[in-house]
Amino acid sequence: MKFRTLKLVLPAACALAIPFQSNALHYNHLGYESIGPKSFVVESSSPITRTSFDIVDTHGNSAYSGTLENNVSVDEWPGRYFRKGIFSDLCEPGIYHIECGGEQSAEFRIRDNVLFETTAQANVDFFRGMRNTFDDRSVPFFNDNASPRDVHGGWNDATGDMGKYLSHLAFSNYMTPQQIPMVVWSLLRSWELNKNDFDNSILSEAAYGADYLLRILDPDGYFYMIIFDRWGWDINREICTWKYNPDPSIPEYNWSGFKTNDWHAAFREGGGMAIAALAKAAALEIDGEYSSDDYLVGAEKAYAHLKDNNLSYCDNGEENIIDDYCALMAATELYKATGDGSYKIDARGRADNLVARLSDEGWFRSDSQGRRPYYHAAEEGLPVIALIEFLTIDTSKKDAIHALLQKSIDWYLKITHESANPFNYVKLQYAHYNGSTGSGNNLAAGKPSEASSSQLPNLPQNAFDSDAVNSRWSSGEPFDSPDYSAWLQVDLESACEIQTVILRWEAAYGTEYRVQLSTDGTTWDDTYHETAGDGGVDIITIDPPRQARYVRMYGRQKSYLWGGYSLYEFEVYGEFTGAVEFTTSFFQPHVNETGYWWQGENARIASLSAAFMSSARALDSSFQISITDSVSDLALSQFNWILGGNPFDVCMMYGFGNNNYPHYAGKPGYAISNVEGGICNGITSDTMGGGDIAWMPWEESNSENWRWVEQWLPHNAWYLLAVSTLNHILNTAPLAAQHGKPVAFFGSGMAIHSNDNGHLVLDPAGDHIRQNGTITVHDTRGRLVLRQTADGEKTSLSLAGHSKGLYVISYTASKQKTIRKTYNYNH
């Protein structure tokens, strides 16, 4: 998924346009839960005049008629108009299609547990299809003479990458994703939530992954981060890690796969989640090639090692939010497996750290200064999941964590709904800077720029687009004499401490030029004066570092008589020191700590869906999916997006839905075909400026399409956990009953049945519920049907005059919180 060949970037005019139809219908191709939010979106390139729609059954009858919401347009997605149709009140199981304005959708289902029962096992099977088949029984270390290691097993990271990762992007410090360890933990947690709904293949797959984690545990107690062959371009697979390193002395296709020997995995680099996965396998008494006892020994050994050495493994020598939530998961699972109180103490400390990282508004701070808000393309829901897991071993922080969960939910609801968002796609917040100093941290990338002159099409912004091969800035005519002057400058948008400037010249270079700094863009100070420039790459160290917001190259003499000055890239490195501007966005910003890595975010939105549902259940043990609940709507909308309800009508789970994605090209003879059930990277912002919305804009053979269509382990790991969480909530919510028969107790002792007169009888069983209280009944639109007092004895409720269907019955006792149950009234 990170493979880059010699760049085959097409000019904008050659990019494949992705058309969208007039009045196109966007909906979940697979279906909707019987009790739950249901919606679709109509899209057109002009305002939509149609106002009504019908949901039609297989007999051609309208099962539901509705009115479309008003036209909206999304600021970031120009030329598109949307109207939303909501049909949440339709709860009757069946097969349906949408008819609207002459358009008709394909069929989809409404029924209980439809998403889990349709997709969960396919997710498990996907991992089996991704098993790595390289021998890997004698893999050497990169640039090290240590004896090779047996590291066979594990899963291919992606369909274009047969490397094996605990994590990658370690050099970025804030973008590291949990990869193979998250798969193992997700498999085990999903089974734990739904033990009766999976066959044994989910446990055997988890054991297969746990076995691999033990093999990559060094005798000294640390995990090997990556087994890597540079996406098939190297003959040898090696134990290593890699970074983005756009050094002109190495081939461009190696920039994002530059190997290093920093293979020791910190908590945030997969080590923490590897410990958590092994400890969970031990606690659940899972056995593979190794025993559950072996898993526990390995987990405890690795945890002890990281407690002493984690800082030395972090690329910038500092822990951040990812260390906190990964170490919290590790300590929590170790306590569950051992009962050792020292792990609970450690977990409590990490939980305190996470609580302290939450801002007053409800977003997490990634760093200790609070300058880098937490956003993550693969696991943005994991901090909340970690805190909820911690509550299962320690309730001493319950009030603080519950306040955090509610504040976090409210924050995401706020930023998601603050502007038009017809698909209810959960948005993120990022800062206008790249974080702390580190490899790939070009502070000038994507920033506003201007020049004294330009020669079309080589505009100023081309020197700040992180592409040092295909685009450039060149100064404009007239080129009268060798002492022709011109300048190019960048606005870093905040005060910075400038440490290094890199100029990557084209053939037209400056033989004499100055690097100038300014705090206001008006008064310039000469920081560096070159009088014998020879082109190529000039790396200018500013010692001591200088404070500035603006940086300028001022050319005084040029190399070509009949040309100007031309720069492929103008880079600035250092530390931001001024105020930070925050922006909310649909998609991950292209300018980030990695220097190049942005992709579709199906893992991210699935992780947040799991976090929202888990938070709601943690806050209220009686929470169930509801057609009127904003959290339910936000959580299930992310499933809709992945499964077809998006502007490109693509179902991003392969082998399902009506419109799938092509195979990822990758290196010829190396990339594998799509695996059924696999989820691809997904939809992003556009390829140039990071705005708008994009889906596979290049030719199918172009390797840049990894950003959209490549299948990657974390997408399935998080989708499986999300759909398993949904299934667990649905199955532990009250069950509907047939006329004349009692239903399962709800709360802890209240049963409902209907008698021959069509009355509902609520029958309390248990002293704790034999209290005075109030009973209310709502229909599926949330409208109050009746309210009645209760005295702790059997209570008869009459629904005479009301239609058959589903109702939500609530009982609020004077000394107990409200308990609810869904009831199917069929009299």
Side-chain angles (χ1 to χ4, degrees):
M1 55 170 278
K2 293 121 333 232
F3 161 67
R4 290 166 57 123
T5 61
L6 289 171
K7 235 182 200 175
L8 300 175
V9 176
L10 301 173
C14 298
L16 292 179
I18 307 296
F20 52 97
Q21 299 175 339
S22 175
N23 292 335
L25 305 178
H26 308 308
Y27 62 100
N28 188 321
H29 294 182
L30 275 63
Y32 303 83
E33 301 299 331
S34 297
I35 302 295
K38 306 173 189 69
S39 64
F40 70 96
V41 174
V42 187
E43 178 183 358
S44 179
S45 55
S46 60
I48 301 162
T49 58
R50 182 70 174 179
T51 60
S52 62
F53 68 91
D54 286 281
I55 309 298
V56 180
D57 64 21
T58 53
H59 301 293
N61 299 319
S62 177
Y64 185 89
S65 296
T67 301
L68 296 173
E69 294 185 346
N70 292 335
N71 273 286
V72 297
S73 58
V74 178
D75 292 340
E76 295 93 328
W77 306 346
R80 297 171 181 266
Y81 295 85
F82 306 96
R83 298 188 80 158
K84 188 172 185 177
I86 298 174
F87 55 103
S88 302
D89 292 344
L90 178 57
C91 302
E92 185 68 24
I95 299 174
Y96 301 94
H97 67 266
I98 304 165
E99 293 184 3
C100 180
E103 296 287 327
Q104 179 174 313
S105 74
E107 292 182 335
F108 58 86
R109 294 181 181 274
I110 293 176
R111 65 178 172 86
D112 294 342
N113 309 98
V114 62
L115 297 183
F116 180 87
E117 292 177 4
T118 304
T119 65
Q121 188 59 47
N123 266 254
V124 176
D125 295 341
F126 164 77
F127 295 120
R128 178 171 291 275
M130 290 292 285
R131 287 189 178 189
N132 184 273
T133 58
F134 279 84
D135 180 44
D136 282 354
R137 293 177 186 271
S138 183
V139 174
F141 292 86
F142 171 74
N143 199 26
D144 194 284
N145 293 324
S147 299
R149 297 290 193 267
D150 178 0
V151 291
H152 77 276
W155 296 286
N156 298 321
D157 187 57
T159 46
D161 186 355
M162 296 183 198
K164 298 181 292 194
Y165 300 76
L166 291 191
S167 183
H168 72 303
L169 306 176
F171 65 93
S172 72
N173 294 303
Y174 297 104
M175 301 291 286
T176 52
Q178 311 311 305
Q179 291 163 263
I180 283 179
M182 187 63 216
V183 174
V184 179
W185 191 86
S186 175
L187 288 165
L188 292 171
R189 180 58 179 154
S190 297
W191 176 82
E192 192 175 37
L193 288 169
N194 303 280
K195 293 180 180 179
N196 297 323
D197 296 323
F198 284 107
D199 62 32
N200 288 334
S201 64
I202 190 171
L203 296 181
S204 64
E205 203 62 28
Y208 172 82
D211 288 341
Y212 174 73
L213 295 179
L214 270 193
R215 290 191 201 101
I216 60 170
L217 180 61
D218 190 86
D220 286 344
Y222 61 85
F223 292 100
Y224 309 139
M225 196 187 313
I226 298 175
I227 314 302
F228 189 51
D229 56 13
R230 209 165 49 79
W231 308 295
W233 291 99
D234 287 351
I235 296 174
N236 295 324
R237 294 165 66 80
E238 294 174 298
I239 298 169
C240 64
T241 189
W242 58 261
K243 65 181 180 179
Y244 179 70
N245 183 33
D247 185 333
S249 68
I250 60 177
E252 192 270 345
Y253 64 77
N254 193 29
W255 285 3
S256 58
F258 187 81
K259 291 182 180 179
T260 80
N261 58 6
D262 299 323
W263 53 70
H264 310 73
F267 276 124
R268 67 175 178 242
E269 296 162 357
M273 284 304 299
I275 294 166
L278 287 171
K280 193 166 197 67
L284 296 177
E285 299 183 342
I286 306 300
D287 294 321
E289 180 179 316
Y290 298 95
S291 70
S292 57
D293 290 340
D294 295 328
Y295 297 149
L296 185 57
V297 169
E300 292 200 273
K301 180 177 184 178
Y303 186 81
H305 181 86
L306 278 183
K307 278 193 68 175
D308 292 337
N309 296 280
N310 192 60
L311 282 178
S312 65
Y313 298 159
C314 296
D315 279 43
N316 62 352
E318 300 174 1
E319 289 193 337
N320 63 44
I321 188 174
I322 308 178
D323 294 282
D324 279 337
Y325 62 68
C326 290
L328 175 57
M329 291 290 285
T332 297
E333 294 293 357
L334 280 169
Y335 178 77
K336 291 180 184 179
T338 65
D340 185 337
S342 65
Y343 294 126
K344 181 186 285 191
I345 293 171
D346 288 353
R348 193 175 293 162
R350 293 290 182 171
D352 285 341
N353 290 353
L354 284 177
V355 170
R357 289 186 184 276
L358 194 76
S359 71
D360 292 340
E361 294 88 350
W363 50 271
F364 283 105
R365 306 175 182 91
S366 291
D367 59 338
S368 57
Q369 295 80 27
R371 301 178 60 81
R372 204 281 189 184
Y374 176 69
Y375 67 91
H376 202 292
E379 61 195 50
E380 202 164 310
L382 191 47
V384 163
I385 296 290
L387 286 167
I388 292 170
E389 290 297 315
F390 168 70
L391 284 177
T392 66
I393 67 165
D394 188 343
T395 60
S396 64
K397 310 290 182 180
K398 181 179 177 180
D399 290 345
I401 292 174
H402 277 199
L404 177 149
L405 299 180
Q406 188 62 62
K407 188 177 287 188
S408 177
I409 288 173
D410 291 343
W411 164 253
Y412 277 109
L413 287 170
K414 173 182 177 293
I415 64 171
T416 296
H417 296 148
E418 66 187 1
S419 59
N421 189 352
F423 296 92
N424 210 18
Y425 185 93
V426 63
K427 298 178 78 172
L428 58 83
Q429 176 182 262
Y430 68 92
H432 285 278
Y433 80 111
N434 292 350
S436 59
T437 304
S439 301
N441 180 36
N442 175 14
L443 306 183
K447 295 301 169 62
S449 58
E450 58 180 302
S452 56
S453 63
S454 298
Q455 185 178 29
L456 294 175
N458 304 319
L459 299 174
Q461 59 263 35
N462 294 352
F464 305 98
D465 64 359
S466 300
D467 183 351
V469 176
N470 300 284
S471 64
R472 61 189 174 93
W473 163 78
S474 58
S475 60
E477 295 182 1
F479 311 123
D480 293 328
S481 65
D483 63 354
Y484 162 88
S485 297
W487 52 263
L488 172 67
Q489 70 184 52
V490 62
D491 176 5
L492 302 178
E493 297 184 312
S494 179
C496 301
E497 186 178 76
I498 310 301
Q499 300 170 355
T500 305
V501 173
I502 298 179
L503 302 176
R504 301 184 187 275
W505 294 101
E506 196 248 357
Y509 57 87
T511 58
E512 180 184 355
Y513 65 86
R514 300 173 187 269
V515 172
Q516 300 175 320
L517 302 182
S518 174
T519 58
D520 58 9
T522 301
T523 303
W524 297 89
D525 294 328
D526 289 343
T527 302
Y528 175 80
H529 185 194
E530 175 62 68
T531 59
D534 58 359
V537 178
D538 289 344
I539 301 176
I540 300 156
T541 300
I542 299 174
D543 188 16
R546 296 273 303 278
Q547 288 285 324
R549 171 172 170 171
Y550 301 87
V551 185
R552 181 163 76 174
M553 185 288 298
Y554 197 113
R556 300 303 303 271
Q557 288 191 337
K558 56 192 177 63
S559 58
Y560 282 179
L561 178 63
W562 303 111
Y565 302 92
S566 184
L567 283 166
Y568 279 117
E569 202 70 9
F570 183 158
E571 302 170 23
V572 180
Y573 294 83
E575 289 278 0
F576 278 88
T577 57
V580 180
E581 295 181 32
F582 294 155
T583 294
T584 57
S585 172
F586 283 98
F587 307 112
Q588 179 181 226
H590 293 191
V591 178
N592 58 60
E593 292 87 358
T594 67
Y596 86 101
W597 196 79
W598 50 270
Q599 63 167 65
E601 299 162 37
N602 285 331
R604 172 186 175 263
I605 62 175
S607 77
L608 286 167
S609 179
F612 295 145
M613 291 185 287
S614 299
S615 295
R617 180 53 70 92
L619 290 167
D620 179 359
S621 61
S622 65
F623 169 80
Q624 57 184 274
I625 300 300
S626 164
I627 66 172
T628 58
D629 174 58
S630 58
V631 175
S632 299
D633 194 15
L634 191 59
L636 269 66
S637 291
Q638 312 316 306
F639 288 105
N640 294 345
W641 181 274
I642 294 170
L643 299 174
N646 56 68
F648 301 99
D649 297 312
V650 58
C651 180
M652 291 179 276
M653 179 176 289
Y654 195 74
F656 293 79
N658 311 314
N659 178 29
N660 276 173
Y661 49 91
H663 302 292
Y664 167 63
K667 183 193 175 190
Y670 180 79
I672 63 176
S673 297
N674 287 343
V675 179
E676 185 169 342
I679 298 173
C680 66
N681 286 337
I683 294 164
T684 70
S685 53
D686 69 32
T687 57
M688 301 303 174
D692 207 341
I693 184 170
W695 167 254
M696 196 183 170
W698 312 116
E699 297 283 356
E700 287 190 15
S701 60
N702 192 309
S703 65
E704 286 296 296
N705 279 324
W706 71 266
R707 301 184 187 278
W708 295 273
V709 303
E710 191 176 12
Q711 295 178 338
W712 186 40
L713 294 179
H715 301 309
N716 279 76
W718 278 109
Y719 178 95
L720 178 62
L721 184 64
V723 81
S724 296
T725 302
L726 172 62
N727 191 64
H728 174 74
I729 288 174
L730 292 172
N731 287 345
T732 55
L735 303 174
Q738 297 178 351
H739 166 57
K741 296 182 179 179
V743 300
F745 289 137
F746 74 103
S748 299
M750 178 71 76
I752 310 172
H753 62 85
S754 56
N755 61 24
D756 292 336
N757 295 323
H759 287 199
L760 301 185
V761 178
L762 275 66
D763 186 6
D767 291 340
H768 59 286
I769 206 165
R770 292 186 181 277
Q771 303 169 16
N772 295 335
T774 302
I775 299 168
T776 56
V777 180
H778 292 80
D779 64 15
T780 53
R781 294 190 180 185
R783 297 175 299 191
L784 180 66
V785 172
L786 62 86
R787 183 190 306 272
Q788 190 168 320
T789 59
D791 60 3
E793 303 298 328
K794 285 186 180 181
T795 303
S796 178
L797 307 175
S798 175
L799 286 178
H802 294 283
S803 59
K804 296 179 181 180
L806 292 161
Y807 293 87
V808 177
I809 302 174
S810 303
Y811 177 80
T812 304
S814 58
K815 297 180 181 179
Q816 182 175 317
K817 65 183 178 182
T818 300
I819 54 177
R820 297 181 179 88
K821 188 173 188 66
T822 304
Y823 186 83
N824 190 9
Y825 177 67
N826 287 322
H827 195 277

